Amino acid sequence: MIVLGKKIKLNEKGFTLIETLTYLFIMSMLILIMSSLMLNIFNTRKMMISSHRVHDNARFIVNYLNNRIHNVDVIDDVSPQPEILHFYQLPGTRFSISAENNDLIFRQVEDIGAGFPDQSTAEVISLNSANINLDNLSLTSVTDPLGSTNQGVRISFTLSIGSVGDKYGYLQKTFTTFISLR
């Protein structure tokens, strides 16, 4: 550029094509790393929430049953199937535990002198949360080596949350415990 007969050198400022492409590459890598990190954080959080809910339900179920079964006087095994037991707490409390529609159901009624009362009239208490499914309930009355009955109950159940196709939200866990009578 010539101004009044003199040459003025322009100070060229800006980025070259190589610098711009390098900048875009570095920024895209940073965005990719940050987005994968955030995705991993969300998936881990989802897995932790599922695990927490299943284990909280299991703790509640075991504690609830432990408080009820410890005070039982007689356990009556009424079926060859391992999930049908009747629990008698003298003088008149009777309760049953059953798996119905993916829920663990506790029913308790007072005996009116006619044997084991009809449990269908009892108030239904679901021991697991609505989003937790219960499967494979097994209640087994335990005897000691000398043949003494009513030593306690071995309880086994499986809790699951989420759908099988959900890689990060599905969890299935089996819990087994023994609850002795006092």
Side-chain angles (χ1 to χ4, degrees):
M1 176 183 218
I2 299 176
V3 178
L4 300 172
K6 295 183 180 178
K7 285 187 178 180
I8 298 176
K9 186 175 180 184
L10 294 176
N11 189 2
E12 295 182 25
K13 293 183 180 181
F15 295 106
T16 65
L17 180 61
I18 300 296
E19 291 171 332
T20 304
L21 290 176
T22 303
Y23 169 77
L24 289 174
F25 176 75
I26 291 171
M27 289 309 294
S28 64
M29 288 297 116
L30 286 174
I31 290 171
L32 180 66
I33 290 169
M34 292 300 290
S35 64
S36 67
L37 179 64
M38 291 301 291
L39 185 61
N40 284 339
I41 289 171
F42 288 132
N43 290 336
T44 302
R45 182 178 182 272
K46 193 173 183 180
M47 286 188 303
M48 293 299 291
I49 288 172
S50 296
S51 176
H52 180 72
R53 287 183 180 160
V54 166
H55 284 90
D56 274 355
N57 270 264
R59 273 189 294 277
F60 175 77
I61 289 169
V62 169
N63 285 335
Y64 190 90
L65 294 179
N66 189 32
N67 289 336
R68 300 309 183 276
I69 293 173
H70 266 318
N71 297 318
V72 165
D73 295 304
V74 177
I75 300 171
D76 189 15
D77 191 352
V78 294
S79 171
Q81 298 172 340
E83 63 273 357
I84 300 177
L85 297 175
H86 290 169
F87 299 90
Y88 298 87
Q89 183 179 354
L90 300 177
T93 303
R94 311 291 187 253
F95 67 87
S96 66
I97 303 163
S98 61
E100 299 174 16
N101 300 322
N102 294 326
D103 288 329
L104 183 60
I105 303 298
F106 177 87
R107 289 185 175 97
Q108 179 174 319
V109 295
E110 296 300 318
D111 184 13
I112 55 173
F116 198 80
D118 181 18
Q119 294 291 298
S120 64
T121 61
E123 178 184 351
V124 174
I125 300 172
S126 179
L127 299 181
N128 55 307
S129 299
N131 59 347
I132 304 291
N133 293 323
L134 177 118
D135 294 312
N136 305 324
L137 174 65
S138 174
L139 301 170
T140 308
S141 180
V142 176
T143 59
D144 66 9
L146 301 175
S148 299
T149 59
N150 297 321
Q151 297 302 306
V153 176
R154 183 174 299 114
I155 300 172
S156 178
F157 56 92
T158 302
L159 296 178
S160 61
I161 187 171
S163 61
V164 178
D166 187 358
K167 184 177 178 181
Y168 301 105
Y170 177 72
L171 178 67
Q172 182 177 21
K173 182 130 174 127
T174 300
F175 300 91
T176 303
T177 190
F178 171 76
I179 300 174
S180 66
L181 302 183
R182 291 184 185 181

